Amino acid sequence: MATTIPIAANDLNPAPIEANDEVTSDWDEESIASSTQSLSESIREHVYENGRRYHQKSKDQYMLPTDETELDRLDMVHHMHLELLEGNLCITKFEEGADPANVLDCGCGTGIWALEFGDLHPGSQVIGLDLAPIQPGWTAPNVKFELDDLEKEWTYPKNHFNYIHSRHLIMSIKDWPRYIAQLYSHIAPGGRVELVEHTIDKSYSDDGTLLEESPFNAYWTALRPCYEKLGINWRLHGTHYKHMLEEAGFEDVTIYTLKVPAGGWPRDKKMRRLGSIFAQVASTGVEAYGLGMLTSLGGYSVEEATELVKNSLVPLRDPKVHAYYFEYYITARKHAWEGDTPLHLQS
Ligand SMILES: C[S@@+](CC[C@H](N)C(=O)[O-])C[C@H]1O[C@@H](n2cnc3c(N)ncnc32)[C@H](O)[C@@H]1O
C-alpha cells in the first residue's frame, strides 16, 4: 500500500487546479472502470418512489435511495477516495504490525471500506455500522456488520475503539456535536478518528467560469430548504468539523482540504481522471440527492425536479466550466492518559 499522502495538512485554501484549454469533448473519455447479524424481514423492507428504491425504516432520517444504482455510486465514490489518497484507505497511518484492535466504520454503506480495511489489517476487529441493510451477507472473519442508528445512544463500551472512520455522513447526522461527543466517549485513550466530509452548499470555481446562477448551483440552492426541514446543516465546511472535534476534547486535530474537479476539465492527468470519476458519480448522484427531497419536501412535481436534476449536469459536461467542490479529511486523537481515565469516560 502506498504511504505518501499527496496533500498538505492544514491546507485550507488549496491552489487552483489548472484547466486544460485544449479539451473540446464534453468529459474525459479515459477509462474509469478500472452480517454476521441475522436480520428480520421487516428491517429489509423497501419502498419505491420516482423509480428509485428507498429503505423503509431509514426513510424519515436519510433521504437517499438504497437501490443498485445508489450502491454502485457509493462504491464509485470509494474508488474516487482511493484515487485521492493514492491507494490508501485513510490518512491515519498505522505502524507495520500494529493494527488497531477495535475499529468502527460509522455509516458504512455497502461495507466496502470496512471489508478492505479488515483485509489489510488482519489484527483488527472491524465493525461496519449502518441504518440500512445494504452490506453483503458474507464477511471476512474479522469484519462484521451491525444495523443501528448513530444518532441514538451508542451501546458499545466506552473507551473501546482504537480507530473510528466516518465518511460522508453530512446527509445522515443532524446533531454533529452530539455525534462527535459519542465518538470521543467510545474511542480509547490514544485512539484516533478520521472524518471525511464534503461540501453540499454549492459548487465553486476559482476563475468565475461556474456562474452563481448556473443550473448546477440552482440545484444546490433548491435543496437548501429541504436540508433545513430535515435538520441537515448544509453550511458545514472543514473548519467547522475541526472546531467541533477540538470542542469535544480531541487533540492533534488536523485538516486536509482537497478540491475535487467536477468534470474532466483539468490539465493534470490525475486531476482530469478524478474529475471524470466525479462526473460519473454525479450522473446518478444528483438524482439520488435531489429527487426524493425536492418532491417530498421542496414542493416540486416529479417533472420539475427531474428537469432541475437533468439541467444541473449540463455545466459538468462543459470543459469551459471549471467547477469543483471540497473534500475534507480530518484526523484527530484522544489523549492517552498516563494515569486513570477520567471518571466521566469510564465504562
Ligand atoms: C453517503 S452514505 C456513505 C457510506 C460510506 N460511509 C461510504 O463512504 O461509502 C451514508 C450512509 O449512512 C447511513 N446512515 C444514514 N443515517 C444513519 C444513521 N442515523 N445511523 C447509521 N447510519 C446512517 C446510510 O444508510 C448510508 O449507508
Side-chain angles (χ1 to χ4, degrees):
M1 185 171 69
T3 49
T4 336
I5 303 299
I7 45 181
N10 285 320
D11 190 357
L12 292 180
N13 186 17
I17 306 165
E18 196 187 342
N20 180 5
D21 300 329
E22 287 141 32
V23 178
T24 50
S25 66
D26 50 8
W27 70 47
D28 190 6
E29 294 299 333
E30 250 179 45
S31 153
I32 288 158
S34 348
S35 139
T36 55
Q37 213 177 10
S38 84
L39 305 170
S40 78
E41 278 312 301
S42 67
I43 279 174
R44 296 191 173 278
E45 278 170 12
H46 299 284
V47 284
Y48 293 83
E49 277 170 24
N50 314 317
R52 301 297 305 253
R53 190 186 79 179
Y54 297 83
H55 180 231
Q56 172 96 58
K57 290 214 160 171
S58 312
K59 198 151 184 311
D60 293 339
Q61 279 166 282
Y62 183 67
M63 295 290 290
L64 271 64
T66 51
D67 50 21
E68 287 303 320
T69 310
E70 176 64 359
L71 304 194
D72 286 349
R73 187 185 73 83
L74 290 180
D75 284 351
M76 178 89 82
V77 172
H78 174 74
H79 175 64
M80 191 180 86
H81 281 280
L82 290 179
E83 292 269 340
L84 281 168
L85 298 183
E86 304 205 325
N88 290 282
L89 283 170
C90 49
I91 284 201
T92 305
K93 291 194 181 70
F94 305 98
E95 300 288 318
E96 191 78 37
D99 293 339
N102 294 303
V103 175
L104 178 67
D105 185 24
C106 295
C108 65
T110 65
I112 191 167
W113 185 93
L115 285 166
E116 290 185 11
F117 191 91
D119 196 32
L120 273 175
H121 300 277
S124 301
Q125 292 297 321
V126 185
I127 297 177
L129 182 144
D130 205 282
L131 260 187
I134 52 175
Q135 303 75 35
W138 50 269
T139 65
N142 64 334
V143 179
K144 68 173 175 172
F145 295 115
E146 295 183 354
L147 298 176
D148 213 332
D149 183 348
L150 285 165
E151 297 230 276
K152 297 218 168 98
E153 194 72 23
W154 293 13
T155 51
Y156 299 117
K158 293 202 169 152
N159 297 307
H160 175 65
F161 293 104
N162 307 94
Y163 177 57
I164 302 184
H165 179 254
S166 169
R167 186 169 73 187
H168 287 188
L169 300 187
I170 178 79
M171 302 286 292
S172 313
I173 301 298
K174 317 296 178 329
D175 189 344
W176 278 94
R178 178 168 186 248
Y179 174 63
I180 289 176
Q182 300 223 62
L183 292 177
Y184 190 78
S185 297
H186 293 272
I187 198 98
R192 271 129 3 122
V193 298
E194 182 160 341
L195 302 185
V196 186
E197 289 302 334
H198 61 89
T199 41
I200 58 168
D201 54 348
K202 61 176 193 161
S203 290
Y204 298 80
S205 70
D206 290 326
D207 56 6
T209 51
L210 180 75
L211 304 175
E212 283 296 325
E213 61 276 18
S214 105
F216 197 40
N217 272 338
Y219 163 83
W220 290 115
T221 309
L223 282 175
R224 288 178 186 177
C226 309
Y227 292 145
E228 274 166 14
K229 283 186 189 156
L230 281 169
I232 292 169
N233 188 345
W234 54 268
R235 291 182 173 85
L236 292 178
H237 275 239
T239 43
H240 297 114
Y241 298 104
K242 182 174 190 288
H243 180 69
M244 288 189 281
L245 285 161
E246 284 166 346
E247 285 281 293
F250 282 102
E251 297 183 342
D252 293 343
V253 184
T254 309
I255 176 166
Y256 303 79
T257 304
L258 286 176
K259 291 176 174 174
V260 179
W265 57 264
R267 180 177 295 281
D268 175 75
K269 192 161 182 243
K270 183 182 166 195
M271 292 305 267
R272 197 161 69 240
R273 184 172 163 75
L274 265 176
S276 299
I277 297 174
F278 176 77
Q280 286 286 328
V281 167
S283 68
T284 64
V286 288
E287 184 186 280
Y289 272 68
L291 206 51
M293 277 192 278
L294 290 167
T295 52
S296 62
L297 300 169
Y300 285 71
S301 67
V302 177
E303 294 72 28
E304 287 166 340
T306 308
E307 190 69 7
L308 192 68
V309 162
K310 200 173 87 200
N311 290 342
S312 73
L313 291 169
V314 174
L316 269 65
R317 295 180 175 139
D318 181 350
K320 294 193 193 70
V321 177
H322 304 152
Y324 65 85
Y325 73 98
F326 291 99
E327 284 280 352
Y328 305 105
Y329 297 81
I330 306 129
T331 57
R333 192 173 59 90
K334 181 159 150 183
H335 189 77
W337 289 280
E338 281 160 23
D340 289 338
T341 305
L343 267 182
H344 73 285
L345 291 173
Q346 287 175 11
S347 43

